[in-house]
Amino acid sequence: ATYYPPNLFLSTFSTNQCHYAQPKPQSQQTMHGHNSKPRNNDIAKAGETLGTSLLYLFFATAGAPGWKLKDSVQRSFPAIATFLACLYGGHAFFLWSIKTLVDARHADGQRDNHPFWKKATAPQRLLTASSAAIGGPATAAALAQSQRWKSLLTPSLVVGNVGYAIATFVGLAFYGVFR
């Protein structure tokens, strides 16, 4: 049996030797009697093809009933669009107000010994927190990862999940009050 290191098993190309191993002399660069040249990993290609095909099947079946809802969605679109515009506009105004107030306070020469609010309202943090508040932990983590803000990756996941936990009970309370 051939040994597949866990970090290479699903890659398209794999080697018989681990990347983290120390370089060995040319005479010792074989494992299990095989050559250590990169070789094609057919299981990864087959898995990718199967996975992509099943994703397409999932998307097709999830979207299939959508044509029956077309009239309902078209009738409710103006109300939903207005609600979302107010929600995102209010959210953007709130973040802009906080950033403006903090910047104005620091511009007036009122320096603190601990510039907590200046660091807390850094654009990267506001954008990540905004993404966690609106889109949840997945979109916030995707934003932090795509912008290479590695220090904000874990906080974005925590804030998004805590937001889900709190909002679930707030939503249930609203349902109980307005039912």
Side-chain angles (χ1 to χ4, degrees):
T2 304
Y3 170 72
Y4 293 100
N7 59 339
L8 297 176
F9 180 68
L10 292 177
S11 65
T12 307
F13 293 98
S14 150
T15 62
N16 287 332
Q17 196 172 19
C18 298
H19 285 296
Y20 49 84
Q22 292 293 328
K24 295 181 180 178
Q26 185 67 24
S27 62
Q28 297 177 355
Q29 285 190 354
T30 60
M31 181 183 239
H32 302 295
H34 297 289
N35 190 349
S36 65
K37 292 180 184 176
R39 63 182 165 70
N40 200 353
N41 192 348
D42 291 331
I43 194 167
K45 288 182 181 179
E48 184 175 345
T49 303
L50 178 64
T52 303
S53 301
L54 290 175
L55 275 175
Y56 287 151
L57 178 65
F58 168 75
F59 291 139
T61 56
W67 64 272
K68 291 182 180 180
L69 302 174
K70 180 180 141 190
D71 294 332
S72 172
V73 170
Q74 286 178 342
R75 281 193 308 268
S76 62
F77 179 77
I80 292 173
T82 303
F83 171 73
L84 291 176
C86 292
L87 180 72
Y88 292 135
H91 183 76
F93 179 74
F94 178 75
L95 291 177
W96 175 79
S97 300
I98 290 175
K99 180 70 174 157
T100 303
L101 288 172
V102 169
D103 288 346
R105 182 168 183 250
H106 284 276
D108 291 340
Q110 297 176 0
R111 299 278 179 198
D112 292 336
N113 291 336
H114 305 288
F116 171 77
W117 289 109
K118 187 72 173 169
K119 289 181 182 177
T121 59
Q124 297 89 349
R125 291 182 182 201
L126 286 178
L127 287 171
T128 307
S130 173
S131 182
I134 292 175
T139 58
L143 174 68
Q145 183 71 29
S146 69
Q147 296 299 319
R148 294 184 179 90
W149 299 332
K150 294 191 186 300
S151 64
L152 296 177
L153 188 59
T154 302
S156 67
L157 292 170
V158 170
V159 168
N161 283 314
V162 168
Y164 277 169
I166 293 171
T168 298
F169 294 108
V170 170
L172 289 172
F174 270 98
Y175 175 75
V177 170
F178 294 113
R179 179 168 44 147

